[in-house]
Amino acid sequence: MIVVMKAHCDEKDIEHVLTFLENHGLSGHPSSGVERTVIGVLGGVGPSGTPGSIGGINPALGEALESLPSVESVLRVSKPYKLASREFHPEDTQIDVPAPCVAGGVVSIGGSEVVMMAGPCTVESEKQLMTTAEAVRKEGAIVLRGGAFKPSTSPYGFRGMGEEGLKLLAKARSEFGMAVITEVMTPTDVDLVSEYADILQIGTRNMQNYMLLDEVGRSDKPIVLKRGMAATIEEWLLAAEYVLAQGNRNVILCERGIRTFEKATRNTMDISAIPLIKHFSHLPIIADPSQGTGRRDLVTPMSLASLAAGTDGLLIEVHPNPDEALKDGAQSLTIQQFQALMPQVQAVTQAIGRTIVTK
Amino acid sequence: MIVVMKAHCDEKDIEHVLTFLENHGLSGHPSSGVERTVIGVLGGVGPSGTPGSIGGINPALGEALESLPSVESVLRVSKPYKLASREFHPEDTQIDVPAPCVAGGVVSIGGSEVVMMAGPCTVESEKQLMTTAEAVRKEGAIVLRGGAFKPSTSPYGFRGMGEEGLKLLAKARSEFGMAVITEVMTPTDVDLVSEYADILQIGTRNMQNYMLLDEVGRSDKPIVLKRGMAATIEEWLLAAEYVLAQGNRNVILCERGIRTFEKATRNTMDISAIPLIKHFSHLPIIADPSQGTGRRDLVTPMSLASLAAGTDGLLIEVHPNPDEALKDGAQSLTIQQFQALMPQVQAVTQAIGRTIVTK
Amino acid sequence: MIVVMKAHCDEKDIEHVLTFLENHGLSGHPSSGVERTVIGVLGGVGPSGTPGSIGGINPALGEALESLPSVESVLRVSKPYKLASREFHPEDTQIDVPAPCVAGGVVSIGGSEVVMMAGPCTVESEKQLMTTAEAVRKEGAIVLRGGAFKPSTSPYGFRGMGEEGLKLLAKARSEFGMAVITEVMTPTDVDLVSEYADILQIGTRNMQNYMLLDEVGRSDKPIVLKRGMAATIEEWLLAAEYVLAQGNRNVILCERGIRTFEKATRNTMDISAIPLIKHFSHLPIIADPSQGTGRRDLVTPMSLASLAAGTDGLLIEVHPNPDEALKDGAQSLTIQQFQALMPQVQAVTQAIGRTIVTK
Amino acid sequence: MIVVMKAHCDEKDIEHVLTFLENHGLSGHPSSGVERTVIGVLGGVGPSGTPGSIGGINPALGEALESLPSVESVLRVSKPYKLASREFHPEDTQIDVPAPCVAGGVVSIGGSEVVMMAGPCTVESEKQLMTTAEAVRKEGAIVLRGGAFKPSTSPYGFRGMGEEGLKLLAKARSEFGMAVITEVMTPTDVDLVSEYADILQIGTRNMQNYMLLDEVGRSDKPIVLKRGMAATIEEWLLAAEYVLAQGNRNVILCERGIRTFEKATRNTMDISAIPLIKHFSHLPIIADPSQGTGRRDLVTPMSLASLAAGTDGLLIEVHPNPDEALKDGAQSLTIQQFQALMPQVQAVTQAIGRTIVTK
């Protein structure tokens, strides 16, 4: 942490800051330039080995310093997350998920292979789910997506089939050998959803639902953590840090669009987040072009763009009859469109020197 | 709902849309202009009196229609919320909160009087809370704020004293006769927090935590619903609709800043949301200039601006020694600053023809 | 400038940065903390007294440094503007504008008095302008606004009356003794517009039209510089710095709303920019609630909010018959509405201890 | 245009709107639904063939209607641009640019072939330009980029070599047979820049500099129109419409990132704009990943992502020694990095079934 003093501060101001730092167990080292004095801050390392030892500096301290009358600004030197950072863990994390349909029975996310995850936005009926699962599996999807508990912006919208939906997902899994990913929305549902799912999804609206993050952090299931629609990369990695800090090291990030002024798409998909996450973190990242754009006609180009930018997987909404979907039909591919997408996915994956696991 | 057809669509395309509408229990009425055909959609009203009768139209239907190849766009005619709308309930809602310190023992939020709510961001100790409560009460605050359960962006930050903090709040209430507002973060805590608090606060990160909204909707406590940091006015009113739809009609909205590109403030406080909420809804609205700006030096001007724009109350962070605050010290007023603020609040309130309740 | 090195850098990396700095005439001072090394950068001060001496550091240098492989980030210590900063010029700047209608014939912007500026968005006809000017003058407006050259988002929209409009403005000035403010859109029009106007307005779309800024910087007219709709406070002050650097010290900033995700208003008016500009700069700031919201019903509350937050003036669109306005009718007050606004403006101005100049 | 009346309006209110419409030469057709009345608006078509005949409806009319007390909202049916729309011109526009280095001497932008444009951000010296031009040409770039007039956020930054820079660009063209693209910042420079350049670039800050758009619209040079950093897709196409309306049909759009809350990148590159522009318009679109991200390490992944999403070309900053660049060094590739990029560009282009023109 570096404290930048105001231009016209005097010795007494500097002393005040140094005393403030000492009172909080830190030491300050002033150095005066032509225009102003800056104070480097050292110390504050917590008990070795604890996650708290990220400089051990209470994040509120910086803000308190910034509000001292003689302080112009406080510059942070370290990232506020640790377990999620590539500095802490330089190698790519790979996360294994049981998937009987692939050779070896396990698919690995975050390695050289790209993984396709597809299925309906929401589980609506056995027929709808089974038809979709069979079709996407046939094309090479390994993971089946489908919401049983659904966040709905309106209280009058469809909120999912609940446990009934989970049972259908489990049935599809045993029939087609796919891994199942589904959303969990509240801490008390984590056990229930874990009974049926292979991967727990935290939705965009819950990215900062800290009690939910704590709870899935105590689970042993892989977690797909969607980016909050207004979350910076740093806040997103801090949310991952919540899960990691509880002991669950199997976090997969998922870019799904952020909120901007543009009205032509539901969200603006931040493709640059894919290489940025690879830069800052060792965690795998996948992309959701269905939620990311809200428009069916953009799913194919944005899937290919995500692959070209380095995504470890794609999460795609597919519905046998999107015109009749109870939720988010406008962004679901038809089965025919998904079939048309797959060879393009194969081609781009190959072009960038990766492979795609389909069996 | 109005369906706008593409410019070059033909009779068959129009038929397709009409059939689609019929299949969903609606009727379409095409009318052709110089450049294109539009189709008005009627019907779909649910059982009278139920909240579901907002045109009875499944929100997903519009999006499904929009994805038909011959459809250019779908225009929505009605607001998606009902109970929260001023059309449904033209008079201002006033919400009574027990507050022994005022004459009559009850303060009303949403009427002609402005209500001051103040206290520390986070309850840190008995001394800190009691000192602050006594001081802000003396200046005219009626409601005591203070977090016992705190959302922290970092897992290593301070997350509040929990029930211990709630007990201190209750103690301050009985000592100073103030009403108590405090945050509840997860459905399973609603009962516990309700034992101690007079008003339950839903924080910005939980504005779309629907299970929490459902749960507080079943409570009989007034709810302060903070705006999500990336929530449109419409989404915010839909979140209020969740609470209202469960039977709790005592919802107070709270503007606390939205996320924009500007970096000089933590959030950009959307003061125009205050008169807009008054336009679209009958619910009271208060303003939180501490969270809304993140800078102590902006709290006073933004408090006065909120009042001038019509806020029904202010929620202000005050700390006896902000430099030592465990959380958000940079945005807390000192007690002296709060004392200096109050006469200005009085003057502006009076200037706009309202009064402020202080005893 | 402070260079933060990556965690695992070695001596050679540090040497590389030091050499890089030396090659650019700067000196670096490394200091190693527990977790990483930071390098303070000194020197680079240009010829004394020149504006270029802001640390003399080429802004591109920081970015070039940031892209060195061993550098984590570069932290800037100084603000990039100088003439616009309060550090450089601690007293409030007051700008005098000739206005025969006030006692003394001159109105001062940026002092203790608040100045009302009002008139039509666009000059449409002599009758429209004269009617409006007479009415707003009668209520106390000192400055007459009105566009002769108008930016229109569509090439098929109305683009103003040009010089004919300027002549009408000059006629209104001589008839009612008001000062005239009007927009100039391109460098070659500066002389023409200066013949007729007392204050030149730079519109939001031209805030970073640097050749226009240079040109008005060489003028002796006061400049109202509207904030770009996506400009940070810092970029806005840098645009002001362009004008100041050319020798024109009479710059008035104007907050007129920024672009956010919210759709209920055309822009989100950033009221906090008013006290922030007062903090960072000595320049006066006014507010435009008509452009800032795009909704007539919000003009009154947002005018009062701007005053309460400390604005030095208000710029308000008034039209004798807004339903027939050729441009932006939706946000213009009627004359009756402006009459109703003025006593409220008076009351709030008084409440915050300022006065309003009306004659 | 469709006028949605408020829920409780009566016959008189409807009459008022109908009269208002008639007064503006339009006719209204009310139809009453269960909850409210909507009024379809017909007429207003201007003289056939003129661009003004986009429904002939003054854009301000809609807003004026919206501000009538009985009107809830006004829904627009048509896009506000015409010449730029795919409905008006269903086939892709292809724009030919003279480039002696390719077979036939002409390169076509907007067809099946992808075109590489590369060079320094800013022309700094003959050696820098020639070295870069030779190197990027050797790798397959057809168009040479390089700024002679540069917008600089700070008045103290480098603003380009001016005509001297243009001469160097022309020299590089004659030596390497490349086409030259360079920015023009103000109307009076259009002739000068046109003497030397093959393509005129309008920068992001000038996207709504309407007098400049008019002027290049009267030129016969192809125009690259960069997206304004806060421009919606619709505003961007309206800016293109300005150029088209003056008779210059050779407009190439360029996505270069938009402004969002994310701080890790200078801009958020909106890759989805590429397929969206293809959907709404017939004009070619290219991508600028250097400006779009501001980080050298993101240029390669975002180049590949843009290609996968369908861009017609890439505009890439390359510098022989980016550490010494006078401007934007942090986002320039080295020559070696550009060499490494090209085979990846080739592979992804091929994977999506397009070819890249390199000779």
Side-chain angles (χ1 to χ4, degrees), chain B residues 205-226:
Chain B
R205 294 171 181 79
N206 280 317
M207 193 202 83
Q208 292 187 315
N209 183 335
Y210 298 123
M211 277 144 174
L212 180 57
L213 297 179
D214 282 346
E215 193 65 30
V216 299
R218 288 184 285 263
S219 153
D220 61 353
K221 297 280 180 185
I223 307 302
V224 160
L225 179 63
K226 291 205 159 182

PDB file of all heavy atoms in Angstrom, chain B residues 205-226:
ATOM      1  N   ARG B 205     -26.459  -6.215  -2.912  1.00  0.00           N
ATOM      2  CA  ARG B 205     -26.042  -7.480  -3.529  1.00  0.00           C
ATOM      3  C   ARG B 205     -27.160  -8.526  -3.478  1.00  0.00           C
ATOM      4  O   ARG B 205     -27.083  -9.541  -4.154  1.00  0.00           O
ATOM      5  CB  ARG B 205     -24.820  -8.040  -2.807  1.00  0.00           C
ATOM      6  CG  ARG B 205     -23.569  -7.191  -2.963  1.00  0.00           C
ATOM      7  CD  ARG B 205     -22.507  -7.723  -2.025  1.00  0.00           C
ATOM      8  NE  ARG B 205     -21.271  -6.957  -2.097  1.00  0.00           N
ATOM      9  CZ  ARG B 205     -21.088  -5.794  -1.492  1.00  0.00           C
ATOM     10  NH1 ARG B 205     -22.070  -5.254  -0.791  1.00  0.00           N
ATOM     11  NH2 ARG B 205     -19.927  -5.167  -1.582  1.00  0.00           N
ATOM     12  N   ASN B 206     -28.142  -8.309  -2.630  1.00  0.00           N
ATOM     13  CA  ASN B 206     -29.228  -9.279  -2.486  1.00  0.00           C
ATOM     14  C   ASN B 206     -30.539  -8.807  -3.101  1.00  0.00           C
ATOM     15  O   ASN B 206     -31.570  -9.423  -2.880  1.00  0.00           O
ATOM     16  CB  ASN B 206     -29.451  -9.593  -0.998  1.00  0.00           C
ATOM     17  CG  ASN B 206     -28.437 -10.596  -0.477  1.00  0.00           C
ATOM     18  OD1 ASN B 206     -28.139 -11.588  -1.137  1.00  0.00           O
ATOM     19  ND2 ASN B 206     -27.901 -10.338   0.702  1.00  0.00           N
ATOM     20  N   MET B 207     -30.510  -7.734  -3.876  1.00  0.00           N
ATOM     21  CA  MET B 207     -31.765  -7.226  -4.416  1.00  0.00           C
ATOM     22  C   MET B 207     -32.474  -8.265  -5.277  1.00  0.00           C
ATOM     23  O   MET B 207     -33.684  -8.251  -5.418  1.00  0.00           O
ATOM     24  CB  MET B 207     -31.557  -5.935  -5.228  1.00  0.00           C
ATOM     25  CG  MET B 207     -32.877  -5.236  -5.521  1.00  0.00           C
ATOM     26  SD  MET B 207     -32.792  -4.106  -6.961  1.00  0.00           S
ATOM     27  CE  MET B 207     -33.044  -5.281  -8.317  1.00  0.00           C
ATOM     28  N   GLN B 208     -31.704  -9.161  -5.881  1.00  0.00           N
ATOM     29  CA  GLN B 208     -32.338 -10.213  -6.678  1.00  0.00           C
ATOM     30  C   GLN B 208     -32.111 -11.594  -6.070  1.00  0.00           C
ATOM     31  O   GLN B 208     -32.081 -12.592  -6.786  1.00  0.00           O
ATOM     32  CB  GLN B 208     -31.847 -10.140  -8.129  1.00  0.00           C
ATOM     33  CG  GLN B 208     -32.356  -8.860  -8.815  1.00  0.00           C
ATOM     34  CD  GLN B 208     -32.039  -8.818 -10.293  1.00  0.00           C
ATOM     35  OE1 GLN B 208     -30.942  -9.130 -10.715  1.00  0.00           O
ATOM     36  NE2 GLN B 208     -33.020  -8.423 -11.104  1.00  0.00           N
ATOM     37  N   ASN B 209     -31.964 -11.630  -4.768  1.00  0.00           N
ATOM     38  CA  ASN B 209     -31.916 -12.904  -4.042  1.00  0.00           C
ATOM     39  C   ASN B 209     -33.371 -13.269  -3.751  1.00  0.00           C
ATOM     40  O   ASN B 209     -33.945 -12.904  -2.724  1.00  0.00           O
ATOM     41  CB  ASN B 209     -31.109 -12.707  -2.750  1.00  0.00           C
ATOM     42  CG  ASN B 209     -30.943 -13.989  -1.961  1.00  0.00           C
ATOM     43  OD1 ASN B 209     -31.754 -14.911  -2.081  1.00  0.00           O
ATOM     44  ND2 ASN B 209     -29.916 -14.041  -1.128  1.00  0.00           N
ATOM     45  N   TYR B 210     -33.958 -13.989  -4.704  1.00  0.00           N
ATOM     46  CA  TYR B 210     -35.421 -14.106  -4.699  1.00  0.00           C
ATOM     47  C   TYR B 210     -35.956 -14.893  -3.510  1.00  0.00           C
ATOM     48  O   TYR B 210     -37.044 -14.638  -3.025  1.00  0.00           O
ATOM     49  CB  TYR B 210     -35.897 -14.715  -6.022  1.00  0.00           C
ATOM     50  CG  TYR B 210     -35.537 -13.835  -7.185  1.00  0.00           C
ATOM     51  CD1 TYR B 210     -34.780 -14.312  -8.245  1.00  0.00           C
ATOM     52  CD2 TYR B 210     -35.922 -12.492  -7.210  1.00  0.00           C
ATOM     53  CE1 TYR B 210     -34.426 -13.476  -9.298  1.00  0.00           C
ATOM     54  CE2 TYR B 210     -35.568 -11.655  -8.262  1.00  0.00           C
ATOM     55  CZ  TYR B 210     -34.824 -12.157  -9.298  1.00  0.00           C
ATOM     56  OH  TYR B 210     -34.476 -11.332 -10.334  1.00  0.00           O
ATOM     57  N   MET B 211     -35.171 -15.865  -3.037  1.00  0.00           N
ATOM     58  CA  MET B 211     -35.655 -16.617  -1.888  1.00  0.00           C
ATOM     59  C   MET B 211     -35.669 -15.754  -0.634  1.00  0.00           C
ATOM     60  O   MET B 211     -36.527 -15.908   0.228  1.00  0.00           O
ATOM     61  CB  MET B 211     -34.833 -17.879  -1.706  1.00  0.00           C
ATOM     62  CG  MET B 211     -35.378 -18.960  -2.631  1.00  0.00           C
ATOM     63  SD  MET B 211     -34.076 -19.984  -3.285  1.00  0.00           S
ATOM     64  CE  MET B 211     -35.062 -21.246  -4.154  1.00  0.00           C
ATOM     65  N   LEU B 212     -34.724 -14.839  -0.571  1.00  0.00           N
ATOM     66  CA  LEU B 212     -34.718 -13.894   0.544  1.00  0.00           C
ATOM     67  C   LEU B 212     -35.898 -12.919   0.425  1.00  0.00           C
ATOM     68  O   LEU B 212     -36.577 -12.614   1.418  1.00  0.00           O
ATOM     69  CB  LEU B 212     -33.380 -13.146   0.563  1.00  0.00           C
ATOM     70  CG  LEU B 212     -33.172 -12.103   1.657  1.00  0.00           C
ATOM     71  CD1 LEU B 212     -33.332 -12.707   3.048  1.00  0.00           C
ATOM     72  CD2 LEU B 212     -31.791 -11.455   1.524  1.00  0.00           C
ATOM     73  N   LEU B 213     -36.176 -12.473  -0.794  1.00  0.00           N
ATOM     74  CA  LEU B 213     -37.319 -11.574  -0.997  1.00  0.00           C
ATOM     75  C   LEU B 213     -38.623 -12.275  -0.618  1.00  0.00           C
ATOM     76  O   LEU B 213     -39.487 -11.692   0.034  1.00  0.00           O
ATOM     77  CB  LEU B 213     -37.370 -11.098  -2.454  1.00  0.00           C
ATOM     78  CG  LEU B 213     -36.178 -10.256  -2.940  1.00  0.00           C
ATOM     79  CD1 LEU B 213     -36.350  -9.878  -4.407  1.00  0.00           C
ATOM     80  CD2 LEU B 213     -36.010  -8.989  -2.093  1.00  0.00           C
ATOM     81  N   ASP B 214     -38.759 -13.524  -1.043  1.00  0.00           N
ATOM     82  CA  ASP B 214     -39.948 -14.297  -0.658  1.00  0.00           C
ATOM     83  C   ASP B 214     -40.091 -14.342   0.862  1.00  0.00           C
ATOM     84  O   ASP B 214     -41.172 -14.145   1.406  1.00  0.00           O
ATOM     85  CB  ASP B 214     -39.821 -15.742  -1.157  1.00  0.00           C
ATOM     86  CG  ASP B 214     -40.125 -15.886  -2.640  1.00  0.00           C
ATOM     87  OD1 ASP B 214     -40.691 -14.946  -3.232  1.00  0.00           O
ATOM     88  OD2 ASP B 214     -39.801 -16.950  -3.201  1.00  0.00           O
ATOM     89  N   GLU B 215     -38.980 -14.607   1.514  1.00  0.00           N
ATOM     90  CA  GLU B 215     -39.022 -14.807   2.966  1.00  0.00           C
ATOM     91  C   GLU B 215     -39.402 -13.511   3.690  1.00  0.00           C
ATOM     92  O   GLU B 215     -40.263 -13.524   4.573  1.00  0.00           O
ATOM     93  CB  GLU B 215     -37.649 -15.307   3.451  1.00  0.00           C
ATOM     94  CG  GLU B 215     -37.650 -15.833   4.853  1.00  0.00           C
ATOM     95  CD  GLU B 215     -38.504 -17.083   5.045  1.00  0.00           C
ATOM     96  OE1 GLU B 215     -38.646 -17.879   4.081  1.00  0.00           O
ATOM     97  OE2 GLU B 215     -39.074 -17.258   6.161  1.00  0.00           O
ATOM     98  N   VAL B 216     -38.795 -12.404   3.315  1.00  0.00           N
ATOM     99  CA  VAL B 216     -39.166 -11.149   3.984  1.00  0.00           C
ATOM    100  C   VAL B 216     -40.571 -10.720   3.549  1.00  0.00           C
ATOM    101  O   VAL B 216     -41.249  -9.974   4.265  1.00  0.00           O
ATOM    102  CB  VAL B 216     -38.145 -10.005   3.774  1.00  0.00           C
ATOM    103  CG1 VAL B 216     -36.777 -10.394   4.327  1.00  0.00           C
ATOM    104  CG2 VAL B 216     -38.059  -9.573   2.327  1.00  0.00           C
ATOM    105  N   GLY B 217     -41.013 -11.213   2.412  1.00  0.00           N
ATOM    106  CA  GLY B 217     -42.391 -10.946   1.979  1.00  0.00           C
ATOM    107  C   GLY B 217     -43.409 -11.608   2.893  1.00  0.00           C
ATOM    108  O   GLY B 217     -44.558 -11.170   3.001  1.00  0.00           O
ATOM    109  N   ARG B 218     -42.991 -12.674   3.549  1.00  0.00           N
ATOM    110  CA  ARG B 218     -43.885 -13.359   4.499  1.00  0.00           C
ATOM    111  C   ARG B 218     -43.768 -12.788   5.906  1.00  0.00           C
ATOM    112  O   ARG B 218     -44.502 -13.201   6.807  1.00  0.00           O
ATOM    113  CB  ARG B 218     -43.565 -14.858   4.494  1.00  0.00           C
ATOM    114  CG  ARG B 218     -44.037 -15.560   3.220  1.00  0.00           C
ATOM    115  CD  ARG B 218     -43.814 -17.061   3.269  1.00  0.00           C
ATOM    116  NE  ARG B 218     -42.433 -17.440   3.088  1.00  0.00           N
ATOM    117  CZ  ARG B 218     -41.894 -17.825   1.926  1.00  0.00           C
ATOM    118  NH1 ARG B 218     -42.635 -17.900   0.832  1.00  0.00           N
ATOM    119  NH2 ARG B 218     -40.621 -18.149   1.849  1.00  0.00           N
ATOM    120  N   SER B 219     -42.838 -11.844   6.080  1.00  0.00           N
ATOM    121  CA  SER B 219     -42.667 -11.211   7.392  1.00  0.00           C
ATOM    122  C   SER B 219     -43.649 -10.044   7.526  1.00  0.00           C
ATOM    123  O   SER B 219     -44.246  -9.601   6.551  1.00  0.00           O
ATOM    124  CB  SER B 219     -41.218 -10.711   7.500  1.00  0.00           C
ATOM    125  OG  SER B 219     -41.113  -9.617   8.381  1.00  0.00           O
ATOM    126  N   ASP B 220     -43.833  -9.554   8.759  1.00  0.00           N
ATOM    127  CA  ASP B 220     -44.695  -8.378   8.925  1.00  0.00           C
ATOM    128  C   ASP B 220     -43.879  -7.116   9.214  1.00  0.00           C
ATOM    129  O   ASP B 220     -44.436  -6.089   9.575  1.00  0.00           O
ATOM    130  CB  ASP B 220     -45.735  -8.620  10.022  1.00  0.00           C
ATOM    131  CG  ASP B 220     -45.063  -8.893  11.369  1.00  0.00           C
ATOM    132  OD1 ASP B 220     -43.817  -9.030  11.410  1.00  0.00           O
ATOM    133  OD2 ASP B 220     -45.778  -8.986  12.377  1.00  0.00           O
ATOM    134  N   LYS B 221     -42.579  -7.205   9.048  1.00  0.00           N
ATOM    135  CA  LYS B 221     -41.728  -6.039   9.291  1.00  0.00           C
ATOM    136  C   LYS B 221     -41.632  -5.173   8.033  1.00  0.00           C
ATOM    137  O   LYS B 221     -41.607  -5.700   6.909  1.00  0.00           O
ATOM    138  CB  LYS B 221     -40.292  -6.510   9.622  1.00  0.00           C
ATOM    139  CG  LYS B 221     -40.166  -7.321  10.881  1.00  0.00           C
ATOM    140  CD  LYS B 221     -40.154  -6.416  12.097  1.00  0.00           C
ATOM    141  CE  LYS B 221     -40.036  -7.276  13.355  1.00  0.00           C
ATOM    142  NZ  LYS B 221     -40.128  -6.483  14.578  1.00  0.00           N
ATOM    143  N   PRO B 222     -41.506  -3.864   8.200  1.00  0.00           N
ATOM    144  CA  PRO B 222     -41.176  -3.022   7.044  1.00  0.00           C
ATOM    145  C   PRO B 222     -39.817  -3.434   6.472  1.00  0.00           C
ATOM    146  O   PRO B 222     -38.918  -3.834   7.216  1.00  0.00           O
ATOM    147  CB  PRO B 222     -41.110  -1.612   7.631  1.00  0.00           C
ATOM    148  CG  PRO B 222     -41.925  -1.677   8.881  1.00  0.00           C
ATOM    149  CD  PRO B 222     -41.767  -3.062   9.419  1.00  0.00           C
ATOM    150  N   ILE B 223     -39.723  -3.339   5.154  1.00  0.00           N
ATOM    151  CA  ILE B 223     -38.510  -3.752   4.446  1.00  0.00           C
ATOM    152  C   ILE B 223     -37.908  -2.531   3.755  1.00  0.00           C
ATOM    153  O   ILE B 223     -38.609  -1.812   3.053  1.00  0.00           O
ATOM    154  CB  ILE B 223     -38.858  -4.793   3.344  1.00  0.00           C
ATOM    155  CG1 ILE B 223     -39.663  -5.960   3.910  1.00  0.00           C
ATOM    156  CG2 ILE B 223     -37.601  -5.248   2.616  1.00  0.00           C
ATOM    157  CD1 ILE B 223     -38.998  -6.704   5.031  1.00  0.00           C
ATOM    158  N   VAL B 224     -36.615  -2.300   3.967  1.00  0.00           N
ATOM    159  CA  VAL B 224     -35.908  -1.327   3.127  1.00  0.00           C
ATOM    160  C   VAL B 224     -35.174  -2.113   2.056  1.00  0.00           C
ATOM    161  O   VAL B 224     -34.309  -2.936   2.354  1.00  0.00           O
ATOM    162  CB  VAL B 224     -34.945  -0.453   3.946  1.00  0.00           C
ATOM    163  CG1 VAL B 224     -33.894   0.183   3.033  1.00  0.00           C
ATOM    164  CG2 VAL B 224     -35.709   0.656   4.666  1.00  0.00           C
ATOM    165  N   LEU B 225     -35.542  -1.869   0.798  1.00  0.00           N
ATOM    166  CA  LEU B 225     -34.984  -2.623  -0.320  1.00  0.00           C
ATOM    167  C   LEU B 225     -34.010  -1.733  -1.085  1.00  0.00           C
ATOM    168  O   LEU B 225     -34.401  -0.843  -1.831  1.00  0.00           O
ATOM    169  CB  LEU B 225     -36.125  -3.078  -1.251  1.00  0.00           C
ATOM    170  CG  LEU B 225     -35.712  -3.878  -2.494  1.00  0.00           C
ATOM    171  CD1 LEU B 225     -35.054  -5.192  -2.111  1.00  0.00           C
ATOM    172  CD2 LEU B 225     -36.931  -4.131  -3.383  1.00  0.00           C
ATOM    173  N   LYS B 226     -32.734  -1.998  -0.880  1.00  0.00           N
ATOM    174  CA  LYS B 226     -31.728  -1.188  -1.571  1.00  0.00           C
ATOM    175  C   LYS B 226     -31.686  -1.567  -3.044  1.00  0.00           C
ATOM    176  O   LYS B 226     -31.884  -2.721  -3.407  1.00  0.00           O
ATOM    177  CB  LYS B 226     -30.363  -1.406  -0.911  1.00  0.00           C
ATOM    178  CG  LYS B 226     -30.318  -0.801   0.495  1.00  0.00           C
ATOM    179  CD  LYS B 226     -28.896  -0.466   0.879  1.00  0.00           C
ATOM    180  CE  LYS B 226     -28.866   0.560   1.992  1.00  0.00           C
ATOM    181  NZ  LYS B 226     -27.456   0.911   2.330  1.00  0.00           N
TER     182      LYS B 226
END
